[in-house]
Amino acid sequence: KMASFFSTPTTSTYFETLYAAERSLLDSISWGDSTYTLVDVPIPFGGDQNNHIHTIVATHPNKETESESKEPTYPIVLWHGFAQSAGSWWRCIPGLAKEHSNQGKVYALDWIGVGGSSRPKWTAGDDPKLAEEWFVESLEHWRIHQGYEKIHLVAHSLSALIATRYAEKYPNRLETLVYASPAGVPDIPEDTPMPSHSLSSMSRRMLVNTARSLWTSGYTPQGVVRSLGRWAGKGYVVDHYVGWRFPDCVPSKGEFAEYMYQHWLGEPSGENALNAMLRFGAHAKVPLCHRIPKLDETIPLCFIYGTVDWMDRKAATGVQEAIKKSNPSRECEVLVLPDCGHQLYIENPARFNEAVTKHCQPRRNSRCKGKRRPPRPRSKKGKKKKASTSVQEDSEGDDSEGDDDDFTPFSFLLEAFTQG
């Protein structure tokens, strides 16, 4: 562990302060007719019955209730990426709850060992398969407790690796699977370079080398921030990162920075997944490009990227081509949203919600292998697009993120560490 000159909050104080910051973030935006509740769902984990998954439950009133629906209905489950937490979906949850109200509720979950969830001792070491299992079983216990036969799973960034393992192990529990700017899809390259814009100056090269050294030594961004205390950790690192990373159109950045800082203060646990699952540069130790095409063919798949997303969407296109080659009728979409990057659900929540809700529709004969679900409703704005096309592609946008004019050393170091 990195030495710290500042005390770690007690468990009770940590959760109380975190939940207050989470409510402040969620209450900072308009929910319309949608509402939310915070629930700690009890699960058994590692032989201990006293664990829980912290959950945001979002609902919206609808004339047709789930029990009155003629078709099976399943909830949308949002799974955050590394260094984020359930509240990070704050901009898209109200809209998703409204748009999915005829199908069911929307849930945003904290990983076990992260945010408001229990923080058991990390036991997976640096083994990627054990790390995936560590999270997969907690999700399955959560589903069982909630009583859902199936779920629509939306996995962002590092959660793509966990979601893929869940699909491998429990394929009959997924109605659909959405990969939102997934990490770990490309094959392992001979080199693992950082994005080209990262190396444009001597200071950036030094920061990349620092990040690489910390990564290989097992440190995490959360550990670095905890060691610095609130004045430097929150006031300089997290605040600068949030201010630099997200455009001015993103509201509640102050509340988000406070929430982000608070959920980083807990005892280190699930954050150790970073070094277990990924190589430096956010390449998976067990790449998804070889695993996703082998998933159960009845699970509809969708990849969603931003136009300035540093994740390699060409790898997803390669997966799509491999899937279509083996089974042309199998559903696999690759979508690109405008005006956003890796954190697409924060930067362009309206288009993100549109893409997710169009994909997360019930499918008929889901138990029959090879049967396709009915076509999704057509958009009022025009005809439905083919599966292989994007929602909207910005051909003039480059594939870099950030703004050199707003560059600060700490914000870039944090981005280099956490953008996976």
Side-chain angles (χ1 to χ4, degrees), residues 204-269:
R204 294 191 178 208
R205 286 194 294 271
M206 291 175 62
L207 286 167
V208 168
N209 290 334
T210 300
R212 186 190 299 272
S213 176
L214 291 170
W215 184 300
T216 56
S217 299
Y219 293 120
T220 64
Q222 295 93 320
V224 173
V225 168
R226 281 193 298 268
S227 71
L228 294 175
R230 184 176 181 88
W231 182 83
K234 196 271 179 182
Y236 196 65
V237 180
V238 177
D239 283 351
H240 275 267
Y241 168 72
V242 171
W244 166 74
R245 177 61 182 78
F246 298 103
D248 292 338
C249 63
V250 174
S252 313
K253 288 202 286 186
E255 290 86 348
F256 180 53
E258 178 64 25
Y259 170 71
M260 187 173 178
Y261 174 70
Q262 292 298 335
H263 76 72
W264 282 20
L265 290 183
E267 286 293 326
S269 178

Side-chain angles (χ1 to χ4, degrees), residues 29-31 34 60 89-99:
I29 59 171
S30 172
W31 281 74
S34 299
H60 185 89
W89 302 92
W90 92 98
R91 290 203 72 197
C92 70
I93 295 179
L96 273 181
K98 180 180 179 179
E99 294 173 30

